[in-house]
Amino acid sequence: MKLSAPKQATFLISLLLFVLAIIVRFAAIQPLLPYVFWLAVASQVVLMIGCAIKGF
């Protein structure tokens, strides 16, 4: 499998999701607190897909 760098938009979406997860975790926003782990996982999955699929 040949990996490539993700596009800037894909990287920024991944970064935005991860920063949102960190903010929710440390700000203790109660309605979103159960989803912090899944936000962090989603950010890494988006980044992984961006590296695995050329042009994504």
Side-chain angles (χ1 to χ4, degrees), residues 14-55:
S14 174
L15 184 65
L16 178 71
L17 286 172
F18 189 72
V19 168
L20 181 64
I22 295 295
I23 289 172
V24 168
R25 168 63 178 96
F26 288 111
I29 301 171
Q30 292 301 324
L32 296 177
L33 205 53
Y35 304 109
V36 170
F37 174 76
W38 293 113
L39 279 173
V41 168
S43 74
Q44 295 305 302
V45 168
V46 167
L47 191 59
M48 182 182 66
I49 291 171
C51 289
I53 298 174
K54 186 174 181 170

